[in-house]
Amino acid sequence: MTREAAIRECTGVLPDISEAVNDIELVRHSQSGSREAFSELIRRHQHLVYNVAYRFMRDATLAEDMAQESFVKAYRLLKGFRGDCSFTTWLYRVTATTCLTEINKRKRRKEVELTPESGGNLCSTGHKPAERDLKEQIRRCVTRLSDRYATIVTLYYLKGTSYDEIAQVMDVPLGTLKTWMFRARKQLRFIIEKELLNNG
Amino acid sequence: MAEIAISSEELDNLIEEALSEEPFLKAPLSLQRGVEARVRLISLREHEKRRFSVSMLTLTLLFFGSVALSGILLWFTNLSVLYTDGVSGGKGWFDYYATAISLSFSSYQGAYSLVISFLLALATLFLAGALQIHKMIYSD
């Protein structure tokens, strides 16, 4: 399923006449100061940005805050967008950077442990894994990967994001991305195994 | 590990399943409204910043322009010399009116107050209008 199809399935949004204007045109209008054009960009990409943010933050309220922050940052940085890559790719980069900055800030302040659902840390909950949704625990473990691995895993499993697009977001060659992906999976498996052992 | 005794391959499958099956969430309705409100604030702030810079620049230019103009006028026209020596009877003419006004000021106080009040009111109206025009020039 393509990303657009996934969004339409989730939101029930059908393509309308405004979809005829492509993102680049909207970006150009936004760069010349049109807030309406930027609103249209928000409308088109809000679900994607929210989902990326949610997968990093694993909390609905934080995800909304981060999605807002990402759009605001995108608005401020829009003048510097030259159209070398698609707007979606650029927005992924802005969102991922915003979320990772916040996560690192929280790690420095040791606030990561304070998320209500996580108890001890993002993966260990104090309950046996079987009692909790194991899949949700696995998803939470992605946030414990290093920044770039967390980013590529998050983007890869977001519906429809291709390796090419992720390579553009990360600004690395395709081969490097594949190596990173392999290492990220290995690291994730290690983290999950460790967590399962701790909780088992 | 009693309850989750799974092989490495099973774990890989489980990870793959967990990550690829994560549902695509719908963004909350408040997200777009929130972003739009913040974007509006940002553009207003930028607009005000621009307006302030333009105002300050205009005032600075006006100030230095007036100072320069006054300097040039004084330098080239040599007004003080012209005033004292250049116009025959100029000084006497000024002294006559200055003395006349100072002598008659007490008896015409009411009339002068009225004129001054009228001038002040005019100046206030002029300033208010100028400020309003100034706002209109730099607003959307």
Side-chain angles (χ1 to χ4, degrees), chain A residues 53-66:
Chain A
Y54 183 82
R55 282 164 201 224
F56 275 110
M57 310 311 288
R58 310 303 317 175
D59 177 273
T61 316
L62 276 177
E64 189 181 346
D65 284 351
M66 285 303 105

Side-chain angles (χ1 to χ4, degrees), chain A residues 51 58 64 139 157 189, chain B residues 12 16 18 22 25 30 36:
Chain A
N51 275 275
R58 310 303 317 175
E64 189 181 346
R139 287 167 197 152
Y157 287 102
R189 199 190 304 132
Chain B
D12 282 345
E16 190 68 27
E22 180 160 16
L25 304 169
S30 53
E36 280 171 354

